[in-house]
């Protein structure tokens, strides 16, 4: 099969904070900033992966979500209970320092893992888990 990842979705509760974090701290490109029917979403992506995007959307953005579902999603997001994204980087320690200095919540300092990566973890401004890993055997940069 000819399958590739195109987009993944993260819930955010403040698009301006998310924009600052993903664009200004992580260095991702803003590909779209859309307001539609009272909602806003952003798409961001790495300049190194022009065909992959992260969609930053409101919690419970599905048109089929009930008000109770949206409220539940917002509460789970506030507690940091929603899943996140794992990025790769060539220098985990330098990235950790930059994100830490920007004030992001540190969940794990850089450490070598027994499965061959050095990684660290943060929460974005909405509480989503973000992991950054450096593969010891990765020469491709991806």
């Amino acid at each position: 099969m000819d399958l590739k990842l195109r987009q993944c979705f993260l819930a955010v509760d403040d698009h301006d904070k998310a924009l600052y974090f993903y664009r200004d701290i992580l260095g991702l490109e803003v590909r779209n900033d859309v307001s539609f029917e009272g909602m806003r979403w952003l798409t961001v992506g790495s300049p190194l992966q022009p065909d992959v995007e992260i969609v930053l959307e409101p919690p419970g953005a599905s048109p089929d979500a009930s008000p109770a579902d949206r409220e539940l999603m917002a509460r789970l997001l506030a507690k940091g209970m929603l899943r996140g994204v794992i990025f790769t980087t060539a220098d985990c320690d330098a990235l950790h320092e930059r994100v830490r200095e920007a004030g992001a919540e540190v969940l794990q300092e850089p450490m070598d893992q027994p499965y061959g990566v050095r990684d660290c973890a943060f929460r974005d401004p909405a509480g989503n888990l973000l992991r950054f890993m450096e593969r010891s055997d990765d020469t491709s940069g991806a």
Side-chain angles (χ1 to χ4, degrees):
M1 291 193 134
D2 184 16
L3 295 176
K4 292 182 178 181
L5 176 66
R6 174 69 178 128
Q7 294 177 320
C8 62
F9 296 79
L10 285 177
V12 298
D13 55 358
D14 184 322
H15 283 85
D16 292 326
K17 285 181 183 176
L19 178 62
Y20 173 75
F21 182 80
Y22 285 94
R23 181 191 61 200
D24 300 339
I25 305 304
L26 296 186
L28 300 182
E29 300 173 328
V30 177
R31 307 227 174 112
N32 280 303
D33 187 342
V34 178
S35 294
F36 182 72
E37 295 187 1
M39 286 196 315
R40 180 182 181 194
W41 67 89
L42 300 164
T43 56
V44 296
S46 169
L48 301 174
Q49 292 179 296
D51 58 343
V52 178
E53 297 175 333
I54 300 170
V55 180
L56 305 171
E57 64 179 3
S62 169
D64 298 324
S66 70
D69 290 341
R70 285 189 179 91
E71 175 59 29
L72 177 59
M73 290 295 293
R75 286 198 326 261
L76 290 171
L77 178 63
K79 292 171 66 173
M81 297 299 295
L82 301 180
R83 299 300 296 167
V85 175
I86 299 174
F87 293 92
T88 60
T89 180
D91 189 340
C92 179
D93 293 277
L95 186 135
H96 172 269
E97 189 61 22
R98 185 172 75 239
V99 176
R100 185 190 61 74
E101 285 179 356
E105 179 186 353
V106 178
L107 298 177
Q108 177 198 305
E109 300 286 332
M111 64 185 293
D112 295 322
Q113 301 291 355
Y115 41 89
V117 301
R118 181 167 181 78
D119 70 356
C120 62
F122 290 90
R123 291 210 185 279
D124 75 1
N128 293 299
L129 171 66
L130 302 180
R131 296 192 75 81
F132 300 93
M133 75 173 190
E134 175 184 347
R135 295 184 61 93
S136 57
D137 62 350
D138 188 6
T139 57
S140 70

